Amino acid sequence: MSTDAATPDPSQTPLAFGQRLKILRTRRGMTREVLAGLLGRSTEWVKALENGRLQVPRFDTVLAIAEALRVRDLADLTGRHVADQGLFVGPGHPRLAAVAAAVNAMPALSNRPAPPTAHVRARLDAAWKARHSAPNHRERIGALLPDLILDAQLASRHAAAPTERRAAQAVLAEVYALTQFFVAYQPDSALLWRVAERGMVAAQESEDPHAIGVSAWLLAQAHRDSGPDRFEAADSITMDVLTYLQPLLPDAADSVLSIAGALQFEAGYTAARRGDNPRAWSFWDQARKTAERLPADYYDPITSFSRAIMGAHATTVAVELHAGGESVRQAARSEATVIPSRPRRARHRIEQARAYHLDGQPDTALTILDQAFEAAPETIRYNGYAKRIILESVEAPAPDRRRRASELATKVGLLAG
């Protein structure tokens, strides 16, 4: 008999919290020992929770469990819908429907004339600049994407000469990359996968190493963010494309060298998620050496890969390895103001906040999350880690921390004003 057939679905069957916890942990392929380590608890505590010998824990502990298991809908764990159930999924952006319609449109049926590829390229470059400079970056690119997607599709469809067609496919792949940044952490996972896979197809049609690398970088992230059972798929994509790029690197252009470095870090990021300390830092070090081959002022507009980003990447590795002291050391060493992109700077502030929170310094974590909000409010609104820290502090015993957390929660949209 199939084990899956005999296992109740926690999203469909009325189950106790402990039963749901055990099912979700098992589906992730995670042992009690590993989960206990991630939560700073004993294996016996996890077992007692699963067996119903302990009551449902406090909300902050439930959020910690959801983070460890990468539960995207908190109702799958708790069995009931609560106000902030989408821990790792942000709210649906008002422009999501228009972007989805453009992705799903049939260019062959459109009466729009096909624009020159160079024209689409110029608009795409402007869209990337808008994303990096705007605090409301999702709003800015969400307004640009529908027309950009349709025109990139038309340009690639109507390109005549093989060289022109390959160039148009490279631009289309990059438009899908920008689209994935908009769609990520929104409540339409099917759309995200469609965008990621179409981007990979267009990139391969382009035969452009940078386009192929970027699409693989994003597709690997989609797999990794789906949970531990997809880590192997993420690694497979990352390593296959790194092998493809390797012969090109001695004389590579900065853009190709940069995507190779970004992929090296992605391999380290996935290793850190696994808890593989030596492999995580080994790949980070490879990425650092690659970054040192780039000009000092180089900054990739898609991946943010650069010399400036390596400190932020080190913070992320330490946090994902749950190394509290090392996380704080890396967070203090890496200064976010050197990152020229507002959303990427905000993302790094969130990683710094995670480091201080992990090290038992919640007040410092809240201060840094305030800085993240000032850099790019739309980044923090869609980040599950930031939401978890804020909501945990809202229930803190210390009155001042509760007040500060409540004010931030209201600004972020987690609490009604």
Side-chain angles (χ1 to χ4, degrees):
M1 179 182 292
S2 167
T3 303
D4 288 341
T7 302
D9 186 340
S11 66
Q12 301 295 327
T13 309
L15 298 170
F17 178 86
Q19 292 173 298
R20 290 173 176 274
L21 171 59
K22 183 175 182 179
I23 291 167
L24 292 167
R25 175 183 60 76
T26 303
R27 285 184 178 179
R28 287 286 183 252
M30 188 182 291
T31 65
R32 283 174 176 156
E33 289 78 11
V34 170
L35 179 58
L38 293 175
L39 298 172
R41 301 278 188 160
S42 67
T43 304
E44 183 57 36
W45 181 85
V46 174
K47 183 178 180 180
L49 199 57
E50 291 183 346
N51 291 342
R53 288 188 281 113
L54 290 178
Q55 293 183 342
V56 178
R58 285 163 41 110
F59 186 56
D60 60 327
T61 304
V62 172
L63 288 175
I65 293 170
E67 177 184 332
L69 294 176
R70 303 295 293 170
V71 173
R72 289 185 173 272
D73 187 340
L74 205 58
D76 288 346
L77 181 59
T78 64
R80 55 190 174 88
H81 289 270
V82 294
D84 293 290
Q85 63 183 14
L87 185 62
F88 290 97
V89 178
H93 194 279
R95 296 191 183 274
L96 179 60
V99 172
V103 172
N104 296 328
M106 300 288 289
L109 304 180
S110 173
N111 293 323
R112 293 165 66 117
T117 299
H119 178 62
V120 181
R121 171 81 262 175
R123 287 162 56 198
L124 177 58
D125 290 343
W128 282 117
K129 289 179 182 177
R131 178 182 183 271
H132 289 302
S133 62
N136 58 334
H137 50 93
R138 270 191 167 85
E139 173 62 25
R140 290 290 300 277
I141 65 171
L144 298 172
L145 276 172
D147 284 341
L148 194 55
I149 292 167
L150 290 173
D151 284 347
Q153 290 172 336
L154 286 168
S156 65
R157 180 176 177 79
H158 292 284
T163 302
E164 182 186 351
R165 179 172 174 76
R166 286 195 295 272
Q169 289 286 348
V171 171
L172 178 60
E174 193 172 318
V175 168
Y176 281 131
L178 181 63
T179 305
Q180 189 168 336
F181 275 94
F182 174 82
V183 173
Y185 306 112
Q186 295 204 54
D188 194 341
S189 59
L191 179 63
L192 182 139
W193 282 107
R194 194 175 309 125
V195 168
E197 289 166 358
R198 286 188 184 181
M200 192 73 246
V201 171
Q204 291 181 84
E205 289 289 325
S206 77
E207 301 179 13
D208 180 276
H210 180 258
I212 292 170
V214 166
S215 296
W217 179 75
L218 286 165
L219 186 57
Q221 287 184 21
H223 279 288
R224 187 189 63 231
D225 288 345
S226 296
D229 54 334
R230 305 295 285 273
F231 285 176
E232 188 173 339
D235 273 338
S236 178
I237 294 166
T238 302
M239 300 313 297
D240 282 351
V241 177
L242 278 173
T243 300
Y244 157 73
L245 292 174
Q246 190 62 41
L248 308 176
L249 297 185
D251 303 309
D254 289 342
S255 61
V256 175
L257 197 60
S258 170
I259 191 56
L263 286 163
Q264 288 165 343
F265 170 69
E266 285 304 311
Y269 193 167
T270 305
R273 282 275 183 89
R274 279 198 175 98
D276 188 340
N277 188 307
R279 184 177 172 85
W281 286 113
S282 175
F283 275 110
W284 177 86
D285 195 51
Q286 288 181 41
R288 178 188 59 79
K289 290 175 181 176
T290 300
E292 288 175 352
R293 293 179 55 190
L294 294 167
D297 60 349
Y298 181 88
Y299 190 86
D300 190 277
I302 305 174
T303 67
S304 295
F305 192 79
S306 57
R307 294 189 191 183
I309 209 69
M310 291 314 301
H313 283 341
T315 303
T316 295
V317 168
V319 168
E320 292 294 346
L321 289 169
H322 295 265
E326 181 63 20
S327 298
V328 168
R329 282 191 291 274
Q330 295 294 347
R333 192 178 301 165
S334 57
E335 182 42 56
T337 54
V338 302
I339 301 173
S341 165
R342 290 185 74 142
R344 189 59 183 87
R345 192 157 67 243
R347 164 71 190 281
H348 177 49
R349 290 297 190 204
I350 293 168
E351 294 295 277
Q352 289 178 310
R354 290 179 68 197
Y356 284 100
H357 186 263
L358 184 65
D359 197 49
Q361 302 184 50
D363 292 313
T364 305
L366 281 177
T367 298
I368 295 174
L369 286 179
D370 265 318
Q371 295 170 357
F373 183 84
E374 292 303 317
E378 285 193 343
T379 295
I380 195 169
R381 288 192 180 112
Y382 287 81
N383 189 283
Y385 297 116
K387 288 190 287 187
R388 176 201 159 188
I389 294 170
I390 295 168
L391 289 173
E392 183 174 324
S393 295
V394 165
E395 297 188 348
D400 184 60
R401 189 184 310 153
R402 283 202 310 273
R403 177 189 57 78
R404 292 176 59 211
S406 296
E407 290 172 356
L408 184 54
T410 301
K411 288 193 294 185
V412 171
L414 295 174
L415 298 176

